[in-house]
């Protein structure tokens, strides 16, 4: 089966972004940096691509120019074990970026992330539809997701 590698288009910040991402996620590293040569279209010696791994997921950053920017149509979901992980990733990735609704944020490079506690899937798929709808209603009112508040809402508290 072929491997799928997200390829993230940046103007000029690909290496800076990759360094930031590998500093945030455990078991992450930059594996290769390639540079533009004389053929261009950018100045020879400037960074072309950066291959990196985020906790086992290979990614590539390309410094392709200002023609394309990120939007919410594509995001990375972080499946967090608990509130501590939600708090950590929310804090790190939203710094210099923009906090959004329902566990979504944009980092300082404009890339969208969903910072989601694992319990959310359990609550939203609860066979008791009233319970799941209470959790959904609570989630829709939040920015950063709050595990205790989601559980309390699901329980009708």
């Amino acid at each position: 089966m072929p491997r799928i590698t997200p390829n993230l288009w940046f103007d000029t910040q690909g290496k800076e972004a990759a360094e930031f991402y590998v500093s945030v996620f455990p078991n992450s590293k930059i594996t290769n940096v390639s540079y533009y040569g004389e053929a261009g279209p950018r100045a020879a010696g400037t960074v072309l691509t950066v291959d990196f791994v985020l906790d086992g997921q290979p990614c590539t950053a390309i410094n392709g120019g200002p023609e394309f920017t990120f939007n919410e149509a594509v995001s990375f979901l972080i499946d967090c074990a608990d509130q501590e992980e939600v708090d950590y990733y929310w804090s790190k990735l939203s710094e210099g970026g923009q906090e959004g609704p329902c566990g979504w944020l944009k980092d300082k490079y404009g890339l969208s992330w969903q910072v989601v506690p694992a319990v959310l899937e359990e609550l939203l798929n609860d066979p008791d539809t009233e319970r799941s709808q209470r959790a959904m209603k609570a989630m829709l009112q939040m920015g950063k997701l709050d595990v205790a508040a989601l559980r309390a809402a699901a329980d009708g508290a």
Side-chain angles (χ1 to χ4, degrees):
M1 174 173 259
R3 180 173 67 182
I4 298 170
T5 302
N7 193 318
L8 307 173
W9 182 292
F10 295 88
D11 180 6
T12 59
Q13 322 88 329
K15 187 168 186 243
E16 176 186 321
E19 290 171 343
F20 171 67
Y21 298 141
V22 301
S23 78
V24 170
F25 292 89
N27 307 310
S28 299
K29 63 183 177 181
I30 292 176
T31 57
N32 186 59
V33 179
S34 66
Y35 299 88
Y36 281 99
E38 294 301 322
R42 295 231 163 150
T46 60
V47 173
L48 171 60
T49 63
V50 180
D51 298 319
F52 58 105
V53 176
L54 293 183
D55 201 16
Q57 172 63 54
C59 298
T60 298
I62 182 170
N63 285 331
E67 294 84 5
F68 302 110
T69 58
F70 297 119
N71 67 47
E72 292 83 356
V74 174
S75 63
F76 286 174
L77 186 141
I78 306 168
D79 189 18
C80 299
D82 53 28
Q83 189 66 51
E84 184 178 351
E85 282 190 0
V86 169
D87 294 347
Y88 170 79
Y89 288 111
W90 187 268
S91 171
K92 293 289 187 182
L93 293 170
S94 67
E95 186 177 319
Q98 180 181 6
E99 296 181 359
C102 308
W104 286 64
L105 63 84
K106 282 187 180 182
D107 67 27
K108 59 188 169 186
Y109 303 102
L111 184 60
S112 292
W113 298 83
Q114 299 176 58
V115 183
V116 181
V119 71
L120 183 63
E121 184 176 355
E122 170 192 323
L123 294 173
L124 296 181
N125 291 305
D126 193 300
D128 179 343
T129 56
E130 288 182 18
R131 199 164 184 274
S132 68
Q133 289 304 296
R134 287 190 301 263
M136 172 67 90
K137 185 175 179 182
M139 188 256 324
L140 292 172
Q141 303 303 311
M142 297 177 183
K144 178 177 74 171
L145 299 182
D146 181 323
V147 171
L150 289 167
R151 286 186 190 277
D155 292 340

